[in-house]
Amino acid sequence: MSTPMVDVKAVHKSFGTLEVLRGIDLEVRAGEVTVVLGPSGSGKSTLLRTINHLEKVDSGWISVDGALVGYRSSGDKLYELREREVLKQRTQIGFVFQNFNLFPHLTVLENIAEAPLSALGRPRKETLDNARRLLDRVGLADKADAYPKQLSGGQQQRVAIARALALEPKLLLFDEPTSALDPELVGEVLDVIKDLALQGTTMIVVTHEIGFAREVADTVVFMDEGRIVEQGAPGDVLDAPRHERTKAFLSKVL
Amino acid sequence: MSSNTLAKAAPSAAGPPATTTGETQPRIVRRPRTGQWLAAAVVLALLAIAANSVIRNKAFQWDVVADYFTSASILRGLGLTLWLTALVMALGFALGTLLAVMRLSANPVLRTVSWGYVWLFRSMPILVQLLFWFNIGALYPHILGVRTVDLFGPVTVAVIGLTLHEAAYAAEVVRGGILSVDRGQIEAAQALGLGRIRRWRRIILPQAMRSILPPAGNMLIGTLKGTSIVSVIAVQDLLYSAQLVYHRTYQVIPLLLVATVWYVVVTSLLSVGQFYVERHYARGSERTR
């Protein structure tokens, strides 16, 4: 088989004395949707954040589309990349936050256009046209000139997705994209993510939405206490879990 | 009182109103605000007494105030006060922003140096500092072959002393503003690949401005009035210009009033300006739209 889009090898990460990731191995193939489930504190958000180098790993390595994230390997050593090179890598990895993190002082359109203009140096006209197309795609064409605080949580998260898409990333990472939303707004955000999945976008989604995992995921990964407990097709992991931890977790959330 | 009489007094009891059956709703009668009226009357009376004494007391010499208000020497002093304030604010905040960024950097040496600067210059009274710089020639009689007293004239000393003092306070104001920006904003900017300078200029500082502006407005007005301290080293600012006149004419009170009224006028204009600047930086925030 070809090289995976995301390759995580033996990744460890501690915050002080707390070991959050205890040897993670994970492969994600291009065009696939991987959903990561697990109780809070299991390390799933930290894993996601190491993939675009928002957190540095303590040991192990991660590659995206064949390129090491945050390091350059030479002989048996990994050398830290300069910040500029890390930033360049990040433009190829879209990240959607739990709390949206839209820039409140910029309009919706400016939020989406900011990175293509300043990080990629794209021409202004083309970027703004593209930003409007993306807004249309997430169903918010009429909100271009609104400020984020004037939108509902669901709308803000859809803008955040459009903002991540504006860089045309190879990979999209979602960190509990619906956890901060009122229940009636969850559906509209999941619909946008499903739509992206249907178009073959490679994604890793950390979520508590089991129904979404069942419907959209190619692979479901269950994490607990910094380790991947089991992974496989949603039908296997969700309906016939082999580990007690997975069974216990699913019985609580289903 | 029997339960029978209570039931008959129904309209004044705590139960539901009796007249809700028809079309007419019961009218709401405001409780009398006697205390409020009384307090207002007392305060207005005191104000009237004060105003009367200010107008009637000839010793205020309002005619002399009017004569000197726009005299050339007072206006020159006002001019100096204004540009000194502007220059000190600009330099102070430039240095203060640098200090704030140093204080928040990952480099422990920069952090400590910044902390030490703020500690030292906040500890030293501005008056002491001005006198110190004024007498710097005692420490270094010559700088680069030039006599120090020729380099450090009163105005130069005023700019240096006030700026160094201002920067220490500005550093804390700017640091507070930067800390008020949500950590997620920086992470979002990093995740989008925005470079360090762009992150500061486009994302962090504009949002920090909302928290920086109210205390910065305070500092601006404080500095405007605080510059009057340079009169001790014979810089001809607004206050010293007024003092020069009354040393000659002995009209102390009217000339102090001239200076006071000018400070009030300029402060009022600055407050109006602050309102509009704050409104600009509040764009996108729900509370002010």
Side-chain angles (χ1 to χ4, degrees):
Chain A
M1 273 202 141
S2 60
T3 53
M5 176 60 87
V6 181
D7 199 356
V8 178
K9 275 282 178 320
V11 161
H12 288 257
K13 170 75 187 175
S14 300
F15 293 115
T17 55
L18 180 69
E19 197 174 12
V20 190
L21 299 178
R22 307 170 183 225
I24 299 284
D25 291 286
L26 180 68
E27 289 187 8
V28 174
R29 315 219 151 267
E32 287 197 349
V33 178
T34 301
V35 170
V36 183
L37 300 173
S40 38
S42 59
K44 47 195 196 312
S45 286
T46 306
L47 171 63
L48 208 63
R49 291 162 60 85
T50 57
I51 294 175
N52 78 340
H53 211 57
L54 277 178
E55 305 286 355
K56 290 179 184 171
V57 301
D58 294 336
S59 65
W61 51 264
I62 296 169
S63 74
V64 170
D65 200 19
L68 275 180
V69 173
Y71 299 92
R72 176 173 54 80
S73 95
S74 175
D76 60 348
K77 291 198 178 71
L78 293 180
Y79 295 90
E80 280 187 10
L81 291 180
R82 294 162 166 280
E83 192 189 6
R84 250 170 86 184
E85 295 163 312
V86 174
L87 290 171
K88 191 151 181 286
Q89 289 187 328
R90 289 211 187 104
T91 61
Q92 301 172 353
I93 306 171
F95 199 100
V96 176
F97 295 85
Q98 180 177 350
N99 296 315
F100 333 133
N101 290 341
L102 293 177
F103 304 128
H105 60 304
L106 304 181
T107 64
V108 163
L109 201 67
E110 288 168 336
N111 262 280
I112 299 173
E114 174 61 25
L117 287 175
S118 78
L120 300 182
R122 294 266 170 81
R124 190 166 182 84
K125 169 97 174 53
E126 179 195 312
T127 304
L128 290 179
D129 288 347
N130 191 39
R132 283 183 202 283
R133 258 197 306 281
L134 285 167
L135 262 185
D136 192 33
R137 192 164 151 194
V138 298
L140 293 170
D142 56 333
K143 299 291 185 190
D145 298 318
Y147 285 97
K149 292 255 171 69
Q150 297 168 319
L151 305 181
S152 74
Q155 291 172 330
Q156 288 190 51
Q157 193 59 298
R158 281 144 71 195
V159 172
I161 294 171
R163 180 173 74 171
L165 289 173
L167 289 164
E168 292 159 19
K170 297 171 182 169
L171 168 69
L172 271 178
L173 306 175
F174 291 86
D175 188 6
E176 303 200 21
T178 59
S179 296
L181 298 178
D182 291 337
E184 78 272 20
L185 303 176
V186 168
E188 63 187 66
V189 172
L190 291 183
D191 284 345
V192 170
I193 303 175
K194 272 179 219 165
D195 191 46
L196 291 170
L198 289 176
Q199 290 166 36
T201 315
T202 314
M203 297 192 276
I204 303 178
V205 185
V206 169
T207 184
H208 293 294
E209 299 288 333
I210 306 291
F212 171 82
R214 194 187 301 279
E215 192 179 342
V216 180
D218 296 296
T219 306
V220 171
V221 173
F222 177 72
M223 282 182 72
D224 192 30
E225 293 180 346
R227 293 196 180 84
I228 291 178
V229 176
E230 67 178 293
Q231 58 177 307
D236 297 339
V237 177
L238 297 176
D239 298 328
R242 282 170 294 141
H243 287 76
E244 286 307 318
R245 291 289 313 155
T246 321
K247 283 178 196 164
F249 175 76
L250 289 174
S251 72
K252 278 182 206 143
V253 296
L254 279 178
Chain B
M1 206 188 275
S2 76
S3 62
N4 199 21
T5 52
L6 250 185
K8 274 184 182 154
S12 64
T19 57
T20 47
T21 42
E23 290 293 301
T24 54
Q25 290 286 321
R27 201 166 61 87
I28 292 170
V29 181
R30 274 167 63 93
R31 172 170 57 76
R33 264 66 169 172
T34 325
Q36 289 189 5
W37 282 104
L38 205 67
V42 169
V43 168
L44 284 176
L46 290 175
L47 266 179
I49 293 167
N52 182 48
S53 105
V54 169
I55 297 164
R56 288 280 197 75
N57 188 341
K58 293 278 180 266
F60 277 101
Q61 291 181 280
W62 288 105
D63 54 326
V64 178
V65 174
D67 280 348
Y68 280 104
F69 195 63
T70 52
S71 69
S73 66
I74 293 292
L75 289 183
R76 265 200 308 277
L78 175 67
L80 186 134
T81 289
L82 289 179
W83 75 250
L84 185 60
T85 302
L87 186 63
V88 164
M89 275 304 275
L91 293 176
F93 263 83
L95 182 56
T97 305
L98 180 70
L99 286 164
V101 172
M102 281 168 64
R103 179 76 186 274
L104 295 170
S105 88
N107 187 328
V109 174
L110 297 188
R111 276 207 307 270
T112 311
V113 167
S114 169
W115 179 88
Y117 178 94
V118 172
W119 166 76
L120 183 66
F121 281 89
R122 279 204 312 195
S123 310
M124 227 189 307
I126 177 65
L127 180 56
V128 175
Q129 220 204 112
L130 284 177
L131 294 174
F132 181 85
W133 288 108
F134 200 59
N135 294 292
I136 191 78
L139 281 179
Y140 301 98
H142 296 273
I143 291 174
L144 302 172
V146 187
R147 284 196 337 155
T148 307
V149 280
D150 296 337
L151 277 178
F152 286 75
V155 175
T156 313
V157 165
V159 171
I160 293 174
L162 289 171
T163 297
L164 295 182
H165 179 78
E166 187 91 358
Y169 286 89
E172 290 295 278
V173 167
V174 173
R175 185 168 72 95
I178 293 169
L179 289 177
S180 77
V181 178
D182 182 30
R183 170 95 206 134
Q185 291 290 309
I186 300 161
E187 287 193 343
Q190 286 176 329
L192 287 167
L194 304 191
R196 186 185 296 250
I197 292 171
R198 184 78 180 178
R199 288 203 300 270
W200 277 104
R201 267 201 29 232
R202 176 80 165 163
I203 307 299
I204 303 172
L205 287 178
Q207 293 188 61
M209 281 306 269
R210 291 202 56 210
S211 308
I212 291 173
L213 278 172
N218 254 351
M219 281 182 64
L220 175 56
I221 287 165
T223 305
L224 172 76
K225 296 177 299 179
T227 52
S228 60
I229 203 167
V230 300
S231 57
V232 300
I233 51 171
V235 173
Q236 290 190 32
D237 73 323
L238 180 54
L239 175 63
Y240 195 64
S241 302
Q243 287 175 323
L244 286 180
V245 176
Y246 73 60
H247 284 163
R248 206 172 61 234
T249 67
Y250 300 105
Q251 292 161 318
V252 177
I253 294 294
L255 276 139
L256 287 179
L257 283 173
V258 166
T260 304
V261 173
W262 270 120
Y263 283 121
V264 169
V265 167
V266 177
T267 302
S268 309
L269 292 176
L270 290 177
S271 304
V272 173
Q274 184 181 353
F275 171 80
Y276 285 102
V277 177
E278 279 186 16
R279 200 172 64 170
H280 170 76
Y281 280 102
R283 67 193 192 280
S285 78
E286 48 200 341
R287 259 185 302 172
T288 43
R289 280 191 73 89

